[in-house]
Amino acid sequence: MFSIAETESWLNDLRCYRAIKSSIDGRHDHIAKAYQQQWPNFIIIGSAKSATTTLATVLGKHPDIQISASMEPKFFGRNYRRGWEWYGQQFPGGEHYLLRGEASTMYTSSYRSYQHTPQLIRHHLGIIPLIYLVRHPLRRIESHWRHWRGRINHCPPFHQLLKSKVLKQRVVEGSFYHKQLMRYRQWFPAESIHCLSTEELTAHPIKSLNAVLKFLGQPANASSLLVKGSLPLTNPAGSKGRRNIEPPQWTAELKKRTIDLIQPDSEEFLKTIHWPKDTWQWN
């Protein structure tokens, strides 16, 4: 038997699925076009706990770039039923900006309500630049669990990482970068997806941001977006309840099983985007 909360979640996902399916079939085109001046023309699609908030915040300092009013609007998924008017309100005065963007890390999740996200974005917005920000798979898992544990009382303990269905889907599968990238490559050409690592962004912010600006068709003037060449600390580890959550500890067995699960996908991802195979160390 399902709990009341599980039943409500299932019903919400079903309603969301039906709305998105109708949209992909073209039944909402006339509604969407009424807000065309507020459509984003680039999106940061993930991944969770990989400095997407930082990247969006920095890009929002550019005079020609507008970032959505809500961080992570999640419109092309669970929030689609809020409607195009609501989404248009995320970009007030958007017609005055050359570029409008948003960052929703759930767009690269495996949740049912986001299974058609790439197709939905392509249907309404066409081929637009997408930025996929990724992080060392294990470090991302640690941060994601810590974040969730600090905010949700019923979050399972870390040692249940692979035993808990909800942890495996919500936390572990967020590191299946190749799987998520391939979902988007079904609908977007490779050249419209720019992949960037958190490690590279942190170590070389000006170089990384200049590459992003160039990808978006802007002059490489990232130094003007930073303070003394540094990124803003917009989402520190102590925020949102995480300051009381100690970093999780891996047992040897759990770490090995997790690496065995994730590493093949990671290696395919690195191969696909032509990054060195040793980009992430596992030991």
Side-chain angles (χ1 to χ4, degrees), residues 70-276:
S70 299
M71 189 59 65
E72 299 212 42
K74 307 173 188 175
F75 179 68
F76 295 100
R78 184 167 294 169
N79 283 341
Y80 184 75
R81 293 177 65 237
R82 289 194 174 197
W84 282 94
E85 180 179 4
W86 175 84
Y87 195 49
Q89 292 171 353
Q90 301 304 310
F91 302 93
E95 65 274 12
H96 301 300
Y97 289 86
L98 184 63
L99 291 170
R100 296 173 297 277
E102 61 130 312
S104 293
T105 60
M106 291 297 284
Y107 291 166
T108 46
S109 75
S110 60
Y111 276 59
R112 288 176 298 179
S113 50
Y114 296 93
Q115 62 183 311
H116 297 299
T117 295
Q119 185 180 2
L120 186 62
I121 294 173
R122 172 65 187 273
H123 176 81
H124 286 292
L125 307 184
I127 296 175
I128 63 171
L130 303 175
I131 301 170
Y132 194 15
L133 186 58
V134 298
R135 183 180 181 181
H136 187 298
L138 296 185
R139 304 293 86 78
R140 198 210 63 78
I141 286 173
E142 294 163 0
S143 181
H144 201 164
W145 175 84
R146 189 178 177 213
H147 169 85
W148 200 33
R149 182 76 167 184
R151 300 188 70 185
I152 308 297
N153 292 331
H154 60 266
C155 173
F158 190 73
H159 66 80
Q160 293 185 12
L161 189 66
L162 300 182
K163 294 181 180 179
S164 165
K165 181 179 178 180
V166 67
L167 274 188
K168 191 172 181 182
Q169 181 183 46
R170 188 178 185 94
V171 176
V172 178
E173 292 184 4
S175 287
F176 287 161
Y177 303 141
H178 184 259
K179 179 180 178 180
Q180 294 300 328
L181 179 63
M182 289 302 100
R183 289 178 59 220
Y184 279 86
R185 286 215 177 168
Q186 291 181 41
W187 300 100
F188 292 86
E191 58 270 20
S192 70
I193 306 175
H194 179 74
C195 295
L196 170 67
S197 75
T198 306
E199 295 82 7
E200 183 69 16
L201 175 62
T202 302
H204 307 288
I206 294 180
K207 177 183 177 182
S208 298
L209 288 169
N210 278 338
V212 170
L213 290 172
K214 182 178 179 180
F215 174 67
L216 295 176
Q218 294 298 299
N221 59 352
S223 58
S224 64
L225 308 180
L226 303 176
V227 178
K228 296 181 179 180
S230 299
L231 294 167
L233 190 61
T234 58
N235 203 13
S239 68
K240 298 183 180 179
R242 278 177 287 161
R243 64 165 52 90
N244 296 321
I245 306 299
E246 292 294 326
Q249 299 298 313
W250 296 91
T251 64
E253 179 186 3
L254 178 60
K255 187 174 184 178
K256 181 181 184 305
R257 290 175 59 205
T258 304
I259 290 175
D260 288 344
L261 180 64
I262 292 176
Q263 190 171 8
D265 177 272
S266 297
E267 290 179 349
E268 281 298 310
F269 175 78
L270 296 174
K271 180 180 178 181
T272 298
I273 63 172
H274 308 294
W275 284 3

